[in-house]
Structure formats: C-alpha cells, structure tokens
C-alpha cells in the first residue's frame, strides 16, 4: 500500500511539473488577472449592487479559468499520454493502470487546486479594493466564509469534470472526441436541472420526471455547489446539512467515476 501511494505521488509530481513546464498555470493566471483588472474599469458604470456584480464577476472569471484548464489542458494531457506513447512508457515501469489513473487525476487536481487558490487570493484582494473604493453604501457586506466556500464549491465541480474527462479518455481515443464528450457532459449536467424545474412547474405526471431524477445521479446538479449569492448577502443562508451532503456526494461521485476509469483502463487494449 505504501509503495503504491509512492508510485501514485511520483506520477502526480510528474504531471504537476509537466503542467508547470507548459506554463499551464501561469498563462491562465495572467489571462484571469488581465480580465479582472480590465473589469475594474467598468465597475464605475454599475449604478447599484456593486458588491454582487463584483463578486459574481470575480468568481466567474475563476470558474472560467478552471473551465479552460479542464477542456484545453486536462483533455490534451490524458490524450497525449496515448498519442505520444507516454502511456506505454509509464506502464513499462512498475506502475499499474489503476495507479496511472489515480496519479494522473492527483497531478491535474493539484494543478487545479493551485490555480483556484491563486485566482481566489487575487480575487479576494480585488474585492476588498472595490469595497474600500465604493464604500458601504454600494458594497455593504462581504462574507469571507462564503467566499471560501464558493471557491471550494467551484473546485469540487471541477474535480467531478476532471474525473469524467479521465473516464472518457479511457473509453475513446483522440483528444477532440474526449473534448466533445466532456463538453456534452457539462452542458447536459447544467441543463438537466432547468428541464426538471420546468416539468415540475407544468405539473407533468408521466414517467419523464422520474427518468430525469434518475439521470441526475449520472449528470450531477452543479448548481448545488454554487454559493456565490451568499458571498454578499446575509439573509436566507443555506442549511449546513445540505451543504455537507452535497460535498459528500461530489466526493462519492469522483470515487465512483475514478473506479470505473480504473476498470476501463485495466481492460483497455493499448495497441
């Protein structure tokens, strides 16, 4: 067990160093910083509720940076491993396919964590700058706890998408195909709650609502991990039991998807 963890951590370290060498983090941080700094010039045109607009903008930029990382770096890393025979080289070492899956997920997850922490810290400084600049009349409340919780929620969503990308990389060949499947997964997961809410409003009583309810176990509702509204408001905070339950679901979801990915890679023909 200790030897297996050492091999997984070694592969994760290689993935992290490879990501840093390709400037995967630096480029995204500079892009996000440019967007956030450029946005500062437009906050003066917002007539009211500057706190909400600023918070939503900062957290959305962080989410967008993670989105770009997942679909334009993580997808290519997992696909390149096979296309450039990196996977064959790694598996020629005393490394099992399950350890390869867990090591790759850990390495890309560490890069995602560093990216979110960097952007989260920069965003926190910018929000404080805006709050001091506009005064309490336009930016009355800022919850540090819910800001951190929002970052953790975004990170949990990105981890689930990363696990799905690794699963798709084992099921199909080619980075473009994996990219299309991962994007489809994201859009279905984002649209499914809207369809369910629409059917509930119309009072549909056939089997379709039950089918969509079952599909929510495969396509998770990302909105349950979205805590942006509570960063700048005091009232109607979410129940902590439901918050803990949603994070527990995201951990279980990642574990199940990675377990499936290990099984797929174990049976996959690499020729």
């Amino acid at each position: 067990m200790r030897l297996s963890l050492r091999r997984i951590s070694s592969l994760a370290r290689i993935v992290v160093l490879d990501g840093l060498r390709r400037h995967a983090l630096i480029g995204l941080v500079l892009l996000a910083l440019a967007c956030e700094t450029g946005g500062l010039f437009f906050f003066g045109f917002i007539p009211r509720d500057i706190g909400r607009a600023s918070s939503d903008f900062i957290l959305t930029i962080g989410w967008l940076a993670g989105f770009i990382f997942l679909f334009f770096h993580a997808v290519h890393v997992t696909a390149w491993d096979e296309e450039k025979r990196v996977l064959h080289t790694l598996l020629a070492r005393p490394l099992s396919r399950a350890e390869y899956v867990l090591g790759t997920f850990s390495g890309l997850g560490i890069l995602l964590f560093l990216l979110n922490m960097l952007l989260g810290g920069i965003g926190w400084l910018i929000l404080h700058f805006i709050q001091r600049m506009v005064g309490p009349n336009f930016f009355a409340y800022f919850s540090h706890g819910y800001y951190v919780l929002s970052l953790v929620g975004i990170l949990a969503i990105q981890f689930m998408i990363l696990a799905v990308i690794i699963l798709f990389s084992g099921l199909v060949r080619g980075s473009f195909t994996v990219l299309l499947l991962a994007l489809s997964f994201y859009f279905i997961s984002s649209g499914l709650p809207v369809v369910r809410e629409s059917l509930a409003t119309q009072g549909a009583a056939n089997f379709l609502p039950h089918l969509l309810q079952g599909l929510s176990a495969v396509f998770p509702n990302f909105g349950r991990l979205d805590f942006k509204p509570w960063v700048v408001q005091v009232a109607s905070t979410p129940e902590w039991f439901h918050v803990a339950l949603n994070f527990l679901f995201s951990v279980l979801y990642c574990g199940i998807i990675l377990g499936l990915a290990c099984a797929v890679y174990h049976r996959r023909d690499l020729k």
Side-chain angles (χ1 to χ4, degrees), residues 154-170:
I154 290 174
L155 194 59
I157 295 171
Q158 293 171 349
F159 277 169
M160 286 192 283
I161 298 176
L162 176 59
V164 170
I165 286 174
I166 291 178
L167 174 63
F168 287 156
S169 299

Side-chain angles (χ1 to χ4, degrees), residues 76-245:
H76 284 264
V77 166
T78 52
W80 282 345
D81 278 359
E82 180 175 351
E83 292 172 0
K84 295 192 174 185
R85 299 281 177 177
V86 176
L87 179 58
H88 298 73
T89 306
L90 291 172
L91 294 181
R93 308 285 180 180
L95 181 77
S96 70
R97 299 189 183 197
E99 290 168 348
Y100 165 77
V101 170
L102 297 178
T104 304
F105 177 82
S106 302
L108 292 172
I110 291 171
L111 286 174
L112 262 180
F113 176 79
L114 293 175
L115 176 65
N116 280 277
M117 291 305 103
L118 276 172
L119 295 181
I122 295 171
W124 183 82
L125 291 174
I126 291 177
L127 284 176
H128 264 279
F129 176 75
I130 294 172
Q131 190 179 28
R132 294 186 62 179
M133 186 172 63
V134 302
N137 291 332
F138 297 97
F139 198 157
Y141 179 75
F142 178 56
S143 170
H144 302 281
Y146 278 107
Y147 181 74
V148 174
L149 192 64
S150 298
L151 293 177
V152 176
I154 290 174
L155 194 59
I157 295 171
Q158 293 171 349
F159 277 169
M160 286 192 283
I161 298 176
L162 176 59
V164 170
I165 286 174
I166 291 178
L167 174 63
F168 287 156
S169 299
L171 288 171
V172 298
R173 299 176 187 276
S175 58
F176 186 66
T177 310
V178 174
L179 176 63
L180 290 180
L181 287 174
L183 281 172
S184 302
F185 167 80
Y186 171 73
F187 287 125
I188 292 173
S189 298
S190 300
L192 192 58
V194 179
V195 177
R196 287 179 55 197
E197 186 176 350
S198 175
L199 288 178
T201 305
Q202 296 173 9
N206 52 20
F207 75 96
L208 191 55
H210 300 288
L211 176 63
L212 296 179
Q213 178 70 32
L215 286 177
S216 62
V218 180
F219 302 98
N221 183 2
F222 295 144
R224 293 179 181 276
L225 294 169
D226 181 12
F227 303 101
K228 289 196 298 292
W230 289 280
V231 174
V232 292
Q233 74 177 18
V234 183
S236 65
T237 55
E239 296 182 10
W240 288 107
F241 174 74
H242 291 150
V243 173
L245 201 62

